[in-house]
Amino acid sequence: MSAENPVFAVLSQGCAANFGDGERIARALAARYNARVVFRLPEHDAAGSVRNLQDAAGCVAGSQDVLGTQDAPDAIYLNVCTVKGNAGALKLLRTASERFPGTPLFITGCAPKDFREEAVKVTDKVAFTSLEEITSLEQGEAVAVILERSDRIKSIDSIGPRGLQNDRNNVLRESPFTGIVNIEEGCLDACAFCSTHLVKGRLRSYAPEGIVEQVKRLVADGCTEIQLTGQDCACYGFDIGTNLATLTQSILVHVPGNYKIRLGMGNPRHVCGYAGALLECFQDNRVYKFMHVPVQSGSDKILKAMNRRHTASEFRRLASEFNKRFPLATLSTDLIVGFPGETESDFRETLRLLEETRPTVCNITRFVARPGTAAARMEADAGLRIPDSVKHERSARLAEAFQKIARENNALWIGKTCDVVVEKPGHRAGTSIARNEAYRPVALAGDIPAGTKLQVRITDAEAFALISLIRHSARK
């Protein structure tokens, strides 16, 4: 640890909620030490100099603040995601420990027991902490406690001031144009396949007044997109006498400005309780016409085994109402294939639900048992276990059907003019990716700076993006 000018690196993986937590960790560290906090690791190139690592094991590129060629972090925080297994988080840990063997490493995020056991086999020079431990104690005492666990740091008092941690905005975050606002932590469910609830616990909603104030600060600070996020946004407020629709309307009333809100993932059973009020929120042009409601299966038998506590018909009705009221909106869902006990008939019900509800975004996952979950015990029963070959075959069939639907949905935009905001460089050289009012990705010709607002005409469509390859005009 350097005696002065400390630099902390915070690297997040996974969902928007985890990236939001990572930014809260960064702000807590920066506030205590007036240090510079960055969201990337540097790496050494063949010549021995240091350059920025743009993407380490699932970390999203686009950080506002990066390490210079002479900088190395004084401590590294890995805010990991293990929802789909431990491999990505372990890769990130290996990258950090091998590249900076003398730097203190701290792990937070979704780190269940089995991951911790694997992590200490990668390196014993690691300490586990939590968002609460870092942010709850005043004057950064939590950070001091954590750092003192490492035998490489003897005194936290040796860390001196650094000056302003970020020149581009007053609210430290990864993107200058996107503000992530965590509205709750935990959930009210105990899905059989999920290990996240074992780490995050029961629902804890944040006060609506504080959320509104945070959105105000972010919009005033230049954010054009506000992401409301959490483990399950649909049950936001159930523990404090409110809900997501009421919160969203409060933001729209009290925060003027030219911005858009993206609502985070919510489980169907909760959304159904106030669907009418939530759908009213989408009438406001400041709310992206985008709804992420994971159904996971079209078979009620499998949903019951998953302990999902909603039915396929409830999701079908919700999707139908959303699609009917907003024909060009984006419905997003998640589906798991190969859950223990899934028959061919169960799978066909999932396929039929997909074809009936026609989502434009669908996260298809082949079931993998997470240790400590009820589904892992089901998977141990040979009579319930689905062979990997069957999982792959069903996943391919589902993906083929989904991509056909997505292409057809996106084709409805061809010839239409829409307003977009540029988000990032495209995967192909000389292109950029923007988002339209339905949060659809739009591929644009040209290297266009992030945050640029344009009016474009859609000329073509693929399963995963709209395409506009014509001259663009600045949006007024």
Side-chain angles (χ1 to χ4, degrees), residues 301 338-342 375 377-387:
K301 184 195 82 176
F339 190 82
E342 182 188 69
R377 295 188 290 274
M378 298 178 200
E379 181 79 345
D381 184 340
L384 296 175
R385 190 183 312 128
I386 307 301

Side-chain angles (χ1 to χ4, degrees), residues 189 191 193 267-269 294-296 303 306-310:
D189 293 281
C191 300
F193 55 81
N267 278 311
R269 76 183 187 97
V295 63
Q296 305 297 5
L303 288 173
M306 290 176 170
N307 197 29
R308 287 291 286 163
R309 293 197 280 177
H310 65 262

Side-chain angles (χ1 to χ4, degrees), residues 385-462:
R385 190 183 312 128
I386 307 301
D388 285 345
S389 59
V390 175
K391 292 179 185 178
H392 281 273
E393 186 267 340
R394 290 177 183 172
S395 175
R397 287 163 61 191
L398 202 60
E400 182 181 10
F402 160 67
Q403 289 179 33
K404 178 178 182 293
I405 291 167
R407 280 193 298 271
E408 292 171 351
N409 288 351
N410 282 336
L412 297 175
W413 284 88
I414 295 175
K416 296 186 181 298
T417 298
C418 56
D419 293 334
V420 302
V421 180
V422 177
E423 183 180 67
K424 60 185 178 181
H427 295 296
R428 300 165 188 164
T431 65
S432 303
I433 298 297
R435 295 280 181 175
N436 74 352
E437 58 261 38
Y439 208 67
R440 304 271 177 103
V442 182
L444 307 175
D447 296 315
I448 306 171
T452 302
K453 296 178 180 179
L454 301 168
Q455 188 172 81
V456 305
R457 186 166 65 85
I458 305 303
T459 58
D460 203 353
E462 298 176 349

Side-chain angles (χ1 to χ4, degrees), residues 139-159:
Q139 299 301 315
E141 293 173 13
V143 181
V145 170
I146 296 162
L147 293 178
E148 286 170 358
R149 294 177 187 166
S150 171
D151 58 9
R152 287 162 290 176
I153 301 175
K154 302 303 181 184
S155 173
I156 198 69
D157 294 330
S158 65
I159 302 179

